[in-house]
């Protein structure tokens, strides 16, 4: 979709990368680290100061005290944290539960590990967890549940009630949780709850996160996995043979970023809420059915009022005839049919870009 956007001169509200830059104080720290000669391989599981900064932020966010040396592994983006976790802790034939729609690397990496994937679909309008279906799917054969909150692509945030139910089922059936929390600081409608912070869950949870979304530095690819030592062991075994180590100067700068004052996060949230309002109101005025998004910088809509047969046909039409890019959501499902009526837009763009995209759609997109 991004390459089609370039070809057709379309405004890209598809791929989730900001079109504005990260904060100067973090970029300056990276420049300084390079000048200071921090340019050789880092220690495999992370630069000590960065591991400490991750542990300190985790304590601030969850109240949990962790050992930065034994329970934190720095990875090349959260996508590598996901891969190291799955490849390090899942054996061929292990059963893993996945909530659809999902970030596409989950299914791919589970396939690489030879996992047996069990899908549970979250459905509009609120994408709530179908608890009865989860109860009947989880069993003593389940090795892990892969969770993402706030959730890409829907913007759903798992409620405390949902997380408590998932936690009790995991404890009862001795199941691990791999929790992707990269959008934890982009939580708008409710407070983010980290699965590891629930009673009895830290010892069976790998919490994965990254710098890119929170600091608009997606190209740096700095991520991490937090887990108790017996799970960290598996994550590190795989990480050693995936990338071995992550960019040294960027880790020094990332440590500075994670020590940012709370005011940074308050401002980030306020900025994104303004952007979100522009896009959501605009999409409603254009005629989409817009589903509520509580977190992330994504919003999912129903495109069917415009009369195209499925999400891919709609997105191609939107690019070529209207000049705006969205992402077809069928790629986020085990059964593509389930996503054929939905498309995803992102609002991690400057306000002028968002307004221009809305204007194009108002002008050229007509209900059938």
């Amino acid at each position: 979709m991004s390459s089609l956007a370039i070809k057709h001169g379309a405004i890209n509200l598809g791929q989730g990368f900001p079109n504005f830059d990260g904060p100067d104080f973090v970029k300056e720290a990276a420049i300084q680290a390079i000048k200071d000669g921090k340019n050789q391989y880092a220690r495999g599981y992370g630069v000590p100061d960065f591991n400490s900064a991750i542990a300190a932020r985790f304590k601030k966010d969850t109240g949990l005290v962790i050992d930065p040396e034994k329970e934190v592994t720095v990875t090349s983006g959260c996508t590598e944290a996901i891969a190291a976790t799955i490849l390090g802790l899942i054996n061929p034939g292990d059963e893993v539960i996945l909530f659809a729609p999902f970030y596409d690397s989950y299914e791919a990496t589970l396939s690489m590990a030879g996992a047996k994937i069990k899908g549970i679909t979250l459905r509009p309008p609120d994408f709530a967890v179908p608890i009865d279906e989860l109860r009947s799917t989880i069993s003593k054969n389940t090795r892990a549940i892969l969770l993402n909150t706030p959730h890409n692509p829907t913007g759903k945030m798992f409620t405390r009630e949902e997380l408590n139910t998932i936690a009790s089922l995991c404890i009862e059936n001795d199941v691990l949780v791999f929790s992707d929390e990269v959008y934890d600081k982009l939580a708008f409608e409710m407070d983010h709850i980290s699965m590891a912070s629930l009673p009895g869950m830290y010892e069976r949870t790998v919490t994965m996160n990254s710098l890119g979304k929170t600091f608009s530095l997606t190209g740096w690819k700095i991520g991490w996995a937090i887990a108790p030592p017996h799970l960290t062991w598996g994550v590190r075994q795989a990480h050693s043979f995936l990338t071995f180590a992550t960019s040294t100067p960027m880790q020094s700068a990332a440590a500075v970023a994670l020590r940012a004052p709370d005011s940074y996060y308050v401002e980030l949230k306020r900025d994104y809420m303004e952007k979100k309002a522009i896009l959501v109101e605009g999409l409603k005025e254009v005629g989409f059915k817009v589903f509520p998004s509580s977190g992330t910088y994504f919003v999912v809509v129903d495109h069917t009022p415009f009369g195209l047969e499925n999400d891919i046909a709609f997105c191609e039409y939107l690019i070529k005839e209207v000049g705006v890019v969205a992402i077809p959501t069928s790629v986020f499902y085990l059964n593509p049919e389930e996503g054929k009526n939905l498309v995803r837009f992102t609002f991690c763009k400057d306000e002028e870009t968002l307004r221009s995209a809305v204007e194009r759609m108002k002008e050229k997109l007509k209900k059938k």
Side-chain angles (χ1 to χ4, degrees), residues 23-33 38 46-57 74-75 77 209-212 214-215 217 220-224 246-260 264-265:
D24 287 340
F25 75 94
V26 185
K27 292 186 290 185
E28 291 300 334
I31 293 164
Q32 194 56 51
K38 296 176 180 173
V47 169
D49 185 47
F50 184 36
N51 287 52
S52 297
I54 291 166
R57 174 171 139 183
V74 175
T75 58
N209 210 321
S210 82
L211 192 79
T214 311
F215 289 91
L217 297 164
W220 285 20
K221 297 299 288 176
I222 302 288
W224 57 89
T246 294
S247 169
T248 308
M250 298 318 188
Q251 288 189 60
S252 292
V256 171
L258 289 194
R259 295 185 176 114
Y264 172 79
Y265 299 107

Side-chain angles (χ1 to χ4, degrees), residues 6-233:
I6 294 162
K7 184 180 169 187
H8 292 278
I11 298 172
N12 193 348
L13 302 188
Q15 205 178 341
F17 59 86
N19 70 341
F20 45 86
D21 215 357
D24 287 340
F25 75 94
V26 185
K27 292 186 290 185
E28 291 300 334
I31 293 164
Q32 194 56 51
I34 292 168
K35 286 180 174 172
D36 290 347
K38 296 176 180 173
N39 300 307
Q40 307 311 322
Y41 289 128
R43 185 177 67 170
Y45 56 91
V47 169
D49 185 47
F50 184 36
N51 287 52
S52 297
I54 291 166
R57 174 171 139 183
F58 196 63
K59 183 186 178 197
K60 198 171 182 180
D61 290 345
T62 64
L64 296 169
V65 176
I66 57 168
D67 184 336
E69 294 298 297
K70 294 180 180 161
E71 299 179 292
V72 176
T73 306
V74 175
T75 58
S76 298
C78 188
T79 301
E80 196 223 331
I82 293 160
T85 299
I86 290 171
L87 294 169
L89 296 171
I90 298 297
N91 289 319
D94 280 354
E95 205 174 277
V96 178
I97 293 173
L98 194 51
F99 293 106
F102 46 76
Y103 174 51
D104 51 6
S105 96
Y106 299 166
E107 185 190 1
T109 314
L110 286 167
S111 301
M112 287 181 212
K116 191 175 166 192
I117 303 171
K118 291 280 186 97
I120 292 179
T121 301
L122 309 175
R123 301 182 191 279
D126 57 357
F127 300 98
V129 176
I131 296 296
D132 291 340
E133 190 183 341
L134 178 60
R135 278 186 210 282
S136 61
T137 305
I138 199 169
S139 71
K140 300 290 183 194
N141 298 327
T142 309
R143 170 70 169 151
I145 292 181
L146 189 41
L147 190 71
N148 174 211
T149 183
H151 181 259
N152 171 18
T154 66
K156 170 199 170 52
M157 290 182 65
F158 284 68
T159 64
R160 185 173 289 280
E161 191 181 5
E162 287 173 331
L163 292 171
N164 279 335
T165 304
I166 294 167
S168 65
L169 289 170
C170 287
I171 291 167
E172 190 184 318
N173 292 283
D174 193 21
V175 173
L176 302 176
V177 175
F178 303 155
S179 187
D180 173 353
E181 302 181 10
V182 292
Y183 298 101
D184 62 339
K185 297 298 182 192
L186 299 178
F188 306 119
E189 312 295 329
M190 58 178 90
D191 289 336
H192 169 75
I193 300 162
S194 200
M195 181 55 104
S197 69
L198 298 182
M201 287 308 292
Y202 181 73
E203 67 209 47
R204 61 179 66 253
T205 302
V206 181
T207 305
M208 303 169 288
N209 210 321
S210 82
L211 192 79
K213 308 294 188 283
T214 311
F215 289 91
S216 307
L217 297 164
T218 56
W220 285 20
K221 297 299 288 176
I222 302 288
W224 57 89
I226 296 170
H230 68 283
L231 298 180
T232 289
W233 185 86

Side-chain angles (χ1 to χ4, degrees), residues 313-336:
F314 176 80
C315 287
E316 286 178 348
Y317 177 84
L318 194 66
I319 289 175
K320 292 171 186 171
E321 304 301 326
V322 183
V324 175
V325 184
I327 294 282
T329 66
S330 55
V331 298
F332 302 123
Y333 289 84
L334 293 170
N335 172 11

Side-chain angles (χ1 to χ4, degrees), residues 255-272:
V256 171
L258 289 194
R259 295 185 176 114
D262 289 344
S263 58
Y264 172 79
Y265 299 107
V266 171
E267 204 172 311
L268 177 82
K269 205 170 184 175
R270 191 182 64 229
D271 283 356
Y272 268 118

